[in-house]
Amino acid sequence: MAIVAEKKGNVKMLSLYEMNQEWQNVFEMLLDPDVPEDAVYDTLEMIEADMDSKADGYAKIIKSMEGDASQIDEEIKRLQIRKASISKRKDWMKSKLYDSMKATGRTKFKTPLFSFAIQKNGGAKPVDLTGVVPSEWLKPGEPDTKRIREYLEAGNDLPFATLGDRGESLRIR
């Protein structure tokens, strides 16, 4: 039973798998009355020394990875805060440009770099709920806005809902 294997003159540490095999061999040695106690003790010492060294190496890598993960978490938080700040500033600037274009009546124009236009939002008209929605207009847990919208778009009226305006927004291309 060799704890250290020789390979081209270099000493190689056992892998964890190989160490597990060595522990199994020690267990078998303990059960064999023909194996002297000193041989079992020496084998145990060699396995433990190898295991201690291997465990220290693993622990260093694990601690390093924990530190890296913690630093990455902090960087993610920092970048999320920065992203929110940039997004808020962008929305503010776009709102100011929109307001200025509406105030001057200049809702569509081009520059050498961009085209600017205030356009109606696309998609389905929003449903504005103005009262208690009867149970026949509910889907599990919430109003069935798709069904309500289709009913209202067909020219029907409902006392608890109206179709809202799609609104408009600034497009920059």
Side-chain angles (χ1 to χ4, degrees), residues 1-3 18-32 35 40 43-44 47:
M1 170 178 328
I3 297 301
E18 291 167 332
M19 282 184 215
N20 288 337
Q21 293 297 320
E22 291 295 329
W23 282 107
Q24 183 62 38
N25 291 340
V26 167
F27 179 70
E28 290 171 9
M29 288 172 65
L30 286 170
L31 297 177
D32 187 350
V35 176
V40 174
T43 303
L44 281 172
I47 293 173

Side-chain angles (χ1 to χ4, degrees), residues 72-83:
I72 290 168
D73 285 341
E74 290 301 316
E75 186 66 7
I76 288 169
K77 288 176 190 172
R78 185 187 72 78
L79 289 173
Q80 286 173 332
I81 291 168
R82 184 165 183 234
K83 178 184 174 187

Side-chain angles (χ1 to χ4, degrees), residues 12-13 37 42 52 75 87 92-93 97 105 115 123-124 134 138 146 149 151 173:
K12 175 191 156 219
M13 284 186 81
E37 286 181 16
D42 290 344
D52 290 353
E75 186 66 7
S87 182
W92 177 82
M93 291 179 71
L97 182 56
S115 296
L138 296 176
K146 181 179 177 189
R149 180 181 305 105
Y151 186 79
R173 294 193 171 109

Side-chain angles (χ1 to χ4, degrees), residues 88-148:
K88 186 177 177 183
R89 180 64 53 99
K90 176 210 48 127
D91 292 344
W92 177 82
M93 291 179 71
K94 197 170 179 180
S95 172
K96 292 299 175 193
L97 182 56
Y98 172 88
D99 292 344
S100 178
M101 289 172 66
K102 287 296 278 188
T104 61
R106 194 168 177 215
T107 59
K108 188 174 185 178
F109 61 95
K110 288 185 179 186
T111 69
L113 298 177
F114 298 100
S115 296
F116 301 85
I118 295 177
Q119 298 176 335
K120 292 280 185 190
N121 294 333
K125 286 187 174 184
V127 173
D128 295 328
L129 300 174
T130 57
V132 177
V133 179
S135 61
E136 64 266 15
W137 292 97
L138 296 176
K139 58 183 178 183
E142 61 187 47
D144 189 347
T145 54
K146 181 179 177 189
R147 198 168 128 229
I148 294 169

